[in-house]
Amino acid sequence: QEGPTRRESHIYTQVGGTLAGVLSDRHIRGAEASNAARVADGQPLAGSVGRRVQVAMMYVVGVVGVLAALKAVPPEARWLQWLVVAALGFCIYGPHVLIGLCGAE
């Protein structure tokens, strides 16, 4: 067999999307604690959409790194190519999920 099946590669995209949601939710919860202090000081509140965008930008930086790795992988290293493409799916699907969450908020 040349490499993992297409079904196996979809697992990475689902994990990437789920992890993006979990990370952004944790990031927002941390912001809510700082918002309580901001209210006490009379400062404007930090928005949750901006926090989700920060997580999405981390994934975009990951995409750039994975694309550089994809260029560096030799053609005969099929398993390494597959891992890099799986990492690309992981990094691409995170912002895809977060865009929907940003729109809902």
Side-chain angles (χ1 to χ4, degrees):
Q1 185 181 8
E2 289 291 320
T5 64
R6 186 176 282 173
R7 176 176 287 176
E8 292 167 342
S9 64
H10 287 292
I11 292 170
Y12 292 99
T13 59
Q14 293 170 356
V15 170
T18 303
L19 185 61
V22 169
L23 289 175
S24 67
D25 286 346
R26 285 187 182 171
H27 197 45
I28 288 170
R29 273 191 234 120
E32 288 173 352
S34 68
N35 276 343
R38 286 174 170 258
V39 168
D41 293 339
Q43 297 176 349
L45 300 178
S48 59
V49 173
R51 299 293 179 152
R52 292 202 197 276
V53 170
Q54 290 173 352
V55 173
M57 291 308 296
M58 289 189 305
Y59 271 81
V60 171
V61 169
V63 169
V64 171
V66 171
L67 287 176
L70 186 61
K71 186 175 181 179
V73 172
E76 57 275 353
R78 295 223 184 253
W79 276 95
L80 189 56
Q81 284 180 350
W82 184 87
L83 287 174
V84 172
V85 170
L88 183 62
F90 177 91
C91 291
I92 286 176
Y93 203 68
H96 174 75
V97 169
L98 292 179
I99 287 170
L101 291 174
C102 289
E105 292 178 334

